[in-house]
Amino acid sequence: MELGTYAENTWCKGCGNFGILTAVKRAVKILAERGIPKEYLVISAGIGCHAKIFDYLNMSGLYSIHGRSMATIQGMKVANPDLKVITFAGDGDAYGEGIAHVIFAAKRNADITVVVHNNGVYGLTTGQYTPTSEKGFKGRSTPRGSIEEPLNPLTLLLEAGATFLGRAYSGKIDNMAHTMVRAVEHEGFSFIDVLQPCVSYNNTYNLYNELTEELDETPRTLKEALEIARTKDRLYIGTIYETEKPVFHKELYGDWNPVVDSLSREERIKRINNLLKK
Amino acid sequence: MKKDVFTYLVAGKAGEGVKKAGSVAAHLFADMKRAVFEMDDYQSLIKGGHNFSVVSTAPAEISNHYMEADLVVAHDARSYTIHREHIKEHGLLIVNSDEVENTEVIGIPMTTEAKKYPPADLRLGVGSVAVLAAAIGFDERTLEQLIRKEYPKDVEKNVEYAKTIHALIPSEVKGTFTINLGDRKRPLLTGNEAAALGAVAAGLDIYIAYPMTPSSSILHFLAALDRDLGIVTIHPENEIAVANMAIGAAFAGAKTMVGSSGGGMALMEEAFSLAGMTETPVLFVLSSRSGPSTGVPTYTEQADLRFALNQGHGDFLRIVAAPGSIEETFYCTAELLKLVWRFQTPGVLLLDKHISESSMTVDVQPEKCAWVSPVLHTSGEYKRYSNTDEGVSPLLFPPSKELIKWNSYEHDELGITTDKADNIAQMHDKRRRKSDAAREYLKKLQTVNTYGDGDPVIFTYGSSTMGVLEALRASSIKARVVQPIYLEPFPVWELTQYQGTTVIAVEQNSTGQFAALLKEKAGIESRCIRKYDGRPFDPEDLAAVLEEVLSWS
């Protein structure tokens, strides 16, 4: 299965995005073996270094705009629920510009997968603090250090109602690919926060190599998951929480498929005429 | 004033069933096979304040309400003070004597009687219908039938109250007015309902919106009927989500429409450009309120014309149309949905409170609506942005073995991001050819309505058309009315004969945006009649202004 394109890769040497790209390709192959063909996987991306993955993957989709790709893929899913939709987003996309879309997608349990390339810095705009940058982070817009506390995306998403929550590290590719497969297969809102070093503006390789640790098993309760999510001295990776809830599109219209079941012109005319007679 | 128009005006506080009484009257006249126009004037509040509903009816043709009424029913003192100015000569004013102390007008103790059938406030509207019924000669039995049909909730109390009010109407008032049957029964629709149904007829699959007056009733109407009509409605977290979901849905092949008023449209504008670049067909309904900003939410204005024409940053094809009647709204929405799919670009259906929320009897035939039929990829290697002669690249939807890439960045034919000079220019050329093709396509459509002939010439557009046409019916003015339906691309090819002439322009904003557009696009000078107090034109007032302006030449 050819998953690359002719687009020239312009990520910095050593960028964490390479690990994510490799994990995605691995996950797509595994998903195909497990019964989800590539043509049913549709992708989107926000704007930033992460989003270049859109050009590097031989997969159909829509290259969206900053912060909005979570809304874009919800539209795709609701239009044709046969599709499995995945968006890649940066921490600026998911936790800044588009945070409302993330929280509401979790709240309504939209059947989508969101993969956040969380590197704690705006790379493509040459190094500004993000919603997940540590307090004191010196970037080009905060030369004296960021004066804001960072968000904890994991606890935020658990509280918002995420039915699948994972964390991954771009340096541990197999673990990430496995979590991605589970996320896509999960029916409902799946969210993976990927810890990713930016070699140019926020090199966290040593920190993450030291602190990340694979979970042996998925926490069974929300309380346990929240504890894992709050732990700072160890950064646990893998599936942090998974539960079942009714999904948005089925609650909305049951077994209907707006694209596949779209009514004929004759049927529409009949129904409108009936309505006009009332 | 046309002799055969009858107008009923009911006024009171929000929460007294004023709007419902207007609606009952409108349906009553429509059932009598007459032409009807109903306008509801209400404030942005839930209870109290001042509301009124005005229903004008004529045997065969009417396109606007009249403020001068044959019958006014006032629930309270404020309604009496305001609307005693609106009684036609030989008209009838009936007040709620519990609220209005005036022995010179006919008073009915509407509240005292309503208190016997609590909740009293809600009952008043039923009383106003009973007054109308008595005034047009309905006996008690006919009134009871009407109340049973229109007020099924708590029906016995409503019937008893209505009968009580009917009995209290002085006998000399009963049957004051004779309402003759008209020529045929027509459905009564608001502009928003017409837009919704036109879109469904054309192929709409999904309607997405965040509530904002005066667009909200499209969402309400479709949400209530979505399963009957085989479509889906979604109300997400904000307008930004609305527009971006719509783009995602269109990518998957769903015919999608969104709607808002000015503020919400401003939030959707980022996605409007995304639709332009990705070549995504989405129809945006922009129903204007009196602005700018929050403005006057429940009142009307045509001040978003320039805003609609200039949606989105960057060069790309936008298609904008403003229907001039509720009937035209039905067909125009269908045609716009077809056009945005034919040319894979965002479009704007420009409405305003007056056309969105007023009701009118219409002749609509869904079988005459346009039907969405995009250019589709059939076989062979697929490139989303294939550089065709027409500029329109065939569509293909997932799931597919072919690679389908839509891109917000400038892109090559396959849809991969590019910053190469030749690619950039190539895609700009492709999109521009598409604009040219759309203009040629529009030349085959009805893009301008012309009513009457000769001089003088009055230009108008959108909801003001309804007032202008009724002003001519209400007066002895003979004029030609020219109404561009399409505003972008602007149908200059239909207007060459007016180039260099001076016409009268009628529009509902303070700066004359439409008059300026006529000059800029078509070289037409105009004397501009503007109204910008949030209230739609009254045909007789407008006729007086037109006569004055015409007397200058």
Side-chain angles (χ1 to χ4, degrees):
Chain A
M1 192 190 300
E2 179 49 59
L3 287 170
T5 67
Y6 56 75
E8 180 191 347
N9 194 307
T10 56
W11 284 326
C12 305
K13 194 179 173 192
C15 177
N17 279 315
F18 285 105
I20 300 174
L21 179 61
T22 305
V24 172
K25 288 180 176 175
R26 209 166 284 180
V28 169
K29 283 179 183 155
I30 297 169
L31 284 163
E33 287 160 11
R34 292 169 63 93
I36 302 176
K38 195 193 82 168
E39 59 263 34
Y40 281 85
L41 296 173
V42 172
I43 61 169
S44 186
I47 295 295
C49 287
H50 85 274
K52 295 181 178 196
I53 200 168
F54 183 90
D55 285 328
Y56 305 152
L57 281 169
N58 181 31
M59 294 173 76
S60 294
L62 191 150
Y63 201 149
S64 188
I65 47 178
H66 194 50
R68 311 300 171 212
S69 65
M70 285 72 63
T72 312
I73 60 167
Q74 286 180 74
M76 294 171 175
K77 182 71 191 184
V78 92
N80 185 349
D82 293 343
L83 301 174
K84 289 277 184 185
V85 298
I86 305 161
T87 190
F88 305 96
D91 38 332
D93 282 286
Y95 309 137
E97 193 86 34
I99 191 167
H101 310 310
V102 173
I103 289 173
F104 276 82
K107 174 181 175 285
R108 63 174 71 100
N109 198 26
D111 189 12
I112 66 173
T113 298
V114 180
V115 177
V116 181
H117 303 217
N118 180 4
N119 60 3
V121 70
Y122 290 147
L124 197 59
T125 52
T126 66
Q128 298 87 8
Y129 87 111
T130 79
T132 51
S133 299
E134 290 299 323
K135 189 172 181 183
F137 177 87
K138 287 190 177 171
R140 298 182 74 178
S141 62
T142 53
R144 291 175 296 279
S146 162
I147 52 177
E148 296 179 23
E149 293 287 345
L151 285 176
N152 180 337
L154 301 185
T155 52
L156 188 71
L157 266 294
L158 285 172
E159 295 290 359
T163 51
F164 180 98
L165 183 71
R167 179 158 60 193
Y169 168 40
S170 64
K172 292 186 177 164
I173 290 168
D174 267 335
N175 175 274
M176 184 173 15
H178 181 66
T179 308
M180 282 177 180
V181 169
R182 280 188 69 175
V184 172
E185 287 184 337
H186 171 77
E187 190 183 43
F189 180 78
S190 305
F191 192 90
I192 306 174
D193 182 68
V194 183
L195 302 171
Q196 177 216 338
C198 169
V199 289
S200 296
Y201 297 104
N202 193 24
N203 195 337
T204 48
Y205 272 114
N206 290 340
L207 183 76
Y208 291 155
N209 282 336
E210 191 187 320
L211 292 185
T212 54
E213 183 177 328
E214 293 186 27
L215 282 165
D216 295 331
E217 56 179 20
T218 306
R220 293 209 185 91
T221 65
L222 183 60
K223 197 177 161 214
E224 277 179 60
L226 279 164
E227 273 170 31
I228 296 280
R230 286 197 187 104
T231 306
K232 283 185 179 167
D233 50 354
R234 300 304 292 162
L235 297 172
Y236 292 102
I237 57 172
T239 302
I240 291 173
Y241 188 60
E242 184 166 17
T243 190
E244 278 181 34
K245 268 190 216 166
V247 293
F248 177 72
H249 66 272
K250 288 190 179 169
E251 292 282 276
L252 187 65
Y253 52 62
D255 291 331
W256 185 259
N257 180 320
V259 168
V260 174
D261 301 326
S262 183
L263 296 182
S264 68
R265 188 173 186 213
E266 291 67 33
E267 183 61 26
R268 287 164 186 263
I269 290 168
K270 197 176 90 189
R271 291 188 185 199
I272 293 169
N273 276 327
N274 283 341
L275 195 71
L276 290 171
K277 274 181 209 140
K278 279 181 193 167
Chain B
M1 176 67 195
K2 259 169 63 168
K3 287 199 185 92
D4 56 1
V5 172
F6 175 83
T7 296
Y8 166 66
L9 193 156
V10 50
K13 296 181 187 67
E16 292 178 349
V18 169
K19 211 170 176 174
K20 173 68 181 173
S23 167
V24 170
H27 283 94
L28 174 64
F29 298 135
D31 285 344
M32 294 169 80
K33 303 183 177 179
R34 296 174 64 89
V36 181
F37 193 101
E38 177 195 355
M39 194 279 291
D40 297 317
D41 184 301
Y42 65 102
Q43 299 168 296
S44 187
L45 48 76
I46 312 292
K47 299 276 178 195
H50 174 70
N51 279 14
F52 68 92
S53 186
V54 54
V55 184
S56 293
T57 173
E61 202 174 20
I62 195 159
S63 64
N64 209 86
H65 65 285
Y66 288 79
M67 283 305 296
E68 278 221 325
D70 298 85
L71 173 63
V72 173
V73 183
H75 289 182
D76 58 10
R78 176 153 46 168
S79 298
Y80 165 67
T81 310
I82 293 170
H83 297 292
R84 66 183 166 191
E85 309 293 327
H86 297 143
I87 317 289
K88 221 186 270 182
E89 203 182 341
H90 309 301
L92 201 56
L93 169 63
I94 294 182
V95 300
N96 176 4
S97 55
D98 295 313
E99 298 276 332
V100 184
E101 287 173 26
N102 186 331
T103 48
E104 286 168 24
V105 295
I106 300 163
I108 308 282
M110 293 173 75
T111 304
T112 303
E113 294 303 327
K115 280 179 180 160
K116 297 172 186 168
Y117 308 96
D121 286 353
L122 278 175
R123 220 59 72 187
L124 292 178
V126 179
S128 293
V129 171
V131 172
L132 169 67
I136 63 172
F138 277 24
D139 61 15
E140 199 186 85
R141 227 183 99 237
T142 318
L143 171 63
E144 180 175 344
Q145 285 170 355
L146 176 66
I147 299 297
R148 285 195 184 279
K149 178 176 159 221
E150 294 286 358
Y151 293 95
K153 199 180 155 194
D154 213 5
V155 63
E156 298 308 328
K157 279 185 189 173
N158 287 328
V159 167
E160 286 311 307
Y161 179 61
K163 282 181 178 173
T164 308
I165 298 299
H166 189 272
L168 289 169
I169 306 279
S171 56
E172 67 272 19
V173 169
K174 284 179 178 159
T176 300
F177 305 104
T178 305
I179 310 291
N180 295 319
L181 291 185
D183 56 350
R184 66 189 183 284
K185 187 169 184 299
R186 309 164 184 83
L188 191 67
L189 291 180
T190 66
N192 281 351
E193 289 167 353
L197 291 176
V200 174
L204 183 78
D205 297 310
I206 304 180
Y207 183 71
I208 316 178
Y210 188 87
M212 187 169 186
T213 305
S215 68
S216 307
S217 57
I218 304 174
L219 176 64
H220 304 162
F221 179 73
L222 287 176
L225 291 169
D226 53 7
R227 292 189 182 181
D228 295 336
L229 294 171
I231 66 144
V232 172
T233 51
I234 308 173
H235 162 189
E237 60 271 21
N238 56 37
E239 290 87 347
I240 300 173
V242 165
N244 285 284
M245 280 186 183
I247 288 168
F251 167 85
K255 318 299 179 294
T256 308
M257 184 166 84
V258 301
S260 191
S261 191
M265 190 73 208
L267 288 173
M268 298 201 278
E269 191 166 0
E270 178 194 41
F272 198 93
S273 278
L274 172 62
M277 183 51 131
T278 51
E279 305 196 34
T280 306
V282 176
L283 181 55
F284 293 72
V285 183
L286 167 56
S287 179
S288 296
R289 50 172 66 184
S290 177
S293 191
T294 311
V296 197
T298 58
Y299 287 87
T300 202
E301 201 166 84
Q302 292 183 296
D304 294 335
L305 174 59
R306 288 289 181 176
F307 178 61
L309 298 177
N310 296 295
Q311 274 297 303
H313 51 281
D315 273 340
F316 61 92
L317 168 66
R318 298 133 171 106
I319 304 174
V320 182
S325 73
I326 289 171
E327 193 168 296
E328 191 165 75
T329 302
F330 180 76
Y331 295 110
C332 185
T333 313
E335 192 168 85
L336 271 174
L337 195 64
K338 180 189 171 88
L339 284 169
V340 298
W341 275 86
R342 175 65 182 77
F343 293 100
Q344 299 175 32
T345 204
V348 179
L349 174 72
L350 182 59
L351 305 175
D352 56 42
K353 188 265 172 185
H354 186 45
I355 198 163
S356 275
E357 295 196 342
S358 296
S359 299
M360 189 176 169
T361 42
V362 291
D363 282 309
V364 290
Q365 292 167 280
E367 48 277 17
K368 287 189 182 167
C369 274
W371 176 247
V372 173
S373 38
V375 180
L376 298 172
H377 176 75
T378 45
S379 64
E381 186 198 7
Y382 184 67
K383 285 182 177 174
R384 165 66 184 104
Y385 298 109
S386 59
N387 192 28
T388 62
D389 291 345
E390 198 193 32
V392 174
S393 314
L395 288 169
L396 180 65
F397 305 110
S400 168
K401 298 265 186 205
E402 295 291 324
L403 185 63
I404 309 163
K405 276 190 173 305
W406 297 27
N407 198 335
S408 73
Y409 276 97
E410 193 55 278
H411 38 258
D412 62 14
E413 288 185 78
L414 190 65
I416 300 284
T417 303
T418 187
D419 52 15
K420 292 194 181 79
D422 54 348
N423 276 151
I424 297 169
Q426 181 193 47
M427 283 296 138
H428 270 298
D429 284 338
K430 182 181 105 72
R431 291 189 291 268
R432 206 189 54 246
R433 285 200 305 279
K434 202 168 75 161
S435 301
D436 295 342
R439 196 168 284 105
E440 290 307 309
Y441 191 96
L442 278 179
K443 286 181 183 172
K444 289 177 260 163
L445 300 180
Q446 173 102 16
T447 51
V448 175
N449 286 330
T450 305
Y451 302 91
D453 50 25
D455 288 330
V457 177
I458 301 169
F459 268 74
T460 190
Y461 83 102
S463 73
S464 291
T465 312
M466 303 192 297
V468 169
L469 293 178
E470 198 58 33
L472 298 193
R473 282 187 209 109
S475 65
S476 54
I477 301 169
K478 294 274 171 279
R480 172 172 13 175
V481 177
V482 184
Q483 174 227 340
I485 308 164
Y486 283 84
L487 301 163
E488 179 62 38
F490 196 73
V492 283
W493 56 88
E494 298 283 357
L495 304 174
T496 47
Q497 60 178 305
Y498 306 107
Q499 198 174 359
T501 68
T502 300
V503 303
I504 295 170
V506 181
E507 58 188 300
Q508 193 120 19
N509 61 64
S510 68
T511 56
Q513 296 183 24
F514 177 63
L517 187 72
L518 286 177
K519 186 171 180 183
E520 177 197 319
K521 297 280 188 181
I524 301 168
E525 299 284 340
S526 59
R527 282 176 291 181
C528 185
I529 297 172
R530 304 164 200 171
K531 185 168 163 64
Y532 41 89
D533 59 358
R535 274 70 181 168
F537 284 109
D538 169 71
E540 290 174 295
D541 287 352
L542 178 57
V545 177
L546 281 168
E547 265 161 11
E548 194 192 324
V549 172
L550 289 170
S551 73
W552 297 346
S553 48

